[in-house]
Amino acid sequence: MQRHWLVIALTSVSVGLLLMLNFYGTALPLPMPPDEAIYIEPAKNLAEGKGMGVDAYDELLPGIAQRAYFQVPVYFLALSLWGKLFRFDLEGVRLFSRVLGVVGLLLLFALARQWGLTNGVSLLCVLWTALDLTYQYNANFARMDTLCSVLLLTGLICFNAALSKNDARWFLLPGVFAASSVLTHPIALPVFIVLAGTLGWQRRWKGLACSFCLWRWA
């Protein structure tokens, strides 16, 4: 597949996903769970210098209006920066997930190519994912799943690149994204346990130590 046709195809899929999610708007294909507001409020409070709290639950859990430790913090930090640039209403924060959804498709293509798939097959993987209703749902929902997947895919790409290097310091970067993805959602933890096990199986102890140091630092 020629490069310019590949760029056109990836751009078309990305724009198509954004248009589809914009068509959904603030109406979801499933009933809207009430926890979207719970994820937005800590980020908004952080942006306003009030700490990572949830005012709505203060009567149920005293003190949670100042500090909400029921979730790991990376999504709230990222969303607070996004909200400062844009806005904290439902449409604004869902736009953050939509943009991340497009980034996730591009990273998926890069990972497929890195694993040796052809451009055509890699593009098919991207198109298949973009048409998946679960992926669309998560990419149009104000919570941390899409950001976690983006960090996870980036970590995998960096990990694969580091495997081809003789310098163990290349595993520092996968360690950064490993820590960031787990601190976005703990669901990423099993993936990087497997990757750490891979380094141990291959006796790459220095690379494992570099990644572990960043895990401890994070």
Side-chain angles (χ1 to χ4, degrees), residues 3 9 11 18 28 37 42 52 63 76 82 89 96 131 134 141 145 152 156 159 168 172 179 188 190 196 204 213 218:
R3 180 176 294 273
T11 302
L18 285 176
L28 290 173
M52 199 177 74
F76 302 126
W82 174 271
D89 62 356
F96 181 50
L131 293 174
T134 301
F141 187 51
D145 303 73
L152 190 66
L156 287 171
F159 182 83
L172 292 173
R204 294 183 178 233
C213 286

Side-chain angles (χ1 to χ4, degrees), residues 81-163:
L81 294 175
W82 174 271
K84 283 185 176 181
L85 296 175
F86 297 94
R87 57 190 191 273
F88 280 105
D89 62 356
L90 190 58
E91 186 69 26
V93 295
R94 284 186 178 174
L95 179 61
F96 181 50
S97 294
R98 294 170 192 169
V99 171
L100 289 172
V102 171
V103 174
L105 293 179
L106 299 178
L107 289 171
L108 178 62
F109 179 84
L111 183 62
R113 291 291 294 125
Q114 192 181 53
W115 282 346
L117 300 181
T118 64
N119 285 335
V121 175
S122 300
L123 184 61
L124 180 61
C125 295
V126 170
L127 181 60
W128 187 283
T129 303
L131 293 174
D132 183 74
L133 287 177
T134 301
Y135 190 83
Q136 294 174 16
Y137 177 82
N138 286 327
N140 199 38
F141 187 51
R143 56 169 290 144
M144 63 285 299
D145 303 73
T146 309
L147 177 59
C148 182
S149 67
V150 165
L151 293 171
L152 190 66
L153 287 168
T154 306
L156 287 171
I157 291 171
C158 293
F159 182 83
N160 290 332
L163 286 176

Side-chain angles (χ1 to χ4, degrees), residues 11-217:
T11 302
S12 299
V13 173
S14 300
V15 172
L17 178 65
L18 285 176
L19 291 175
M20 186 178 300
L21 297 178
N22 185 66
F23 174 76
Y24 289 156
T26 54
L28 290 173
L30 296 176
M32 185 183 73
D35 56 357
E36 275 193 296
I38 299 174
Y39 297 134
I40 295 172
E41 192 170 16
K44 186 173 184 294
N45 286 338
L46 277 173
E48 296 174 353
K50 299 178 182 177
M52 199 177 74
V54 183
D55 300 334
Y57 280 0
D58 194 43
E59 292 185 3
L60 179 64
L61 298 170
I64 199 172
Q66 287 75 41
R67 300 177 182 84
Y69 296 138
F70 60 96
Q71 287 285 357
V72 285
V74 169
Y75 176 72
F76 302 126
L77 294 170
L79 187 59
S80 68
L81 294 175
W82 174 271
K84 283 185 176 181
L85 296 175
F86 297 94
R87 57 190 191 273
F88 280 105
D89 62 356
L90 190 58
E91 186 69 26
V93 295
R94 284 186 178 174
L95 179 61
F96 181 50
S97 294
R98 294 170 192 169
V99 171
L100 289 172
V102 171
V103 174
L105 293 179
L106 299 178
L107 289 171
L108 178 62
F109 179 84
L111 183 62
R113 291 291 294 125
Q114 192 181 53
W115 282 346
L117 300 181
T118 64
N119 285 335
V121 175
S122 300
L123 184 61
L124 180 61
C125 295
V126 170
L127 181 60
W128 187 283
T129 303
L131 293 174
D132 183 74
L133 287 177
T134 301
Y135 190 83
Q136 294 174 16
Y137 177 82
N138 286 327
N140 199 38
F141 187 51
R143 56 169 290 144
M144 63 285 299
D145 303 73
T146 309
L147 177 59
C148 182
S149 67
V150 165
L151 293 171
L152 190 66
L153 287 168
T154 306
L156 287 171
I157 291 171
C158 293
F159 182 83
N160 290 332
L163 286 176
S164 63
K165 307 293 183 180
N166 293 324
D167 192 343
R169 289 174 294 182
W170 279 88
F171 288 98
L172 292 173
L173 195 56
V176 169
F177 288 106
S180 298
S181 63
V182 173
L183 290 175
T184 302
H185 198 296
I187 197 172
L189 183 59
V191 175
F192 285 99
I193 289 177
V194 171
L195 296 182
T198 301
L199 291 178
W201 180 265
Q202 296 182 358
R203 299 180 184 275
R204 294 183 178 233
W205 306 119
K206 291 183 178 179
L208 183 60
C210 287
S211 297
F212 180 74
C213 286
L214 275 182
W215 273 81
R216 294 296 299 273
W217 170 77

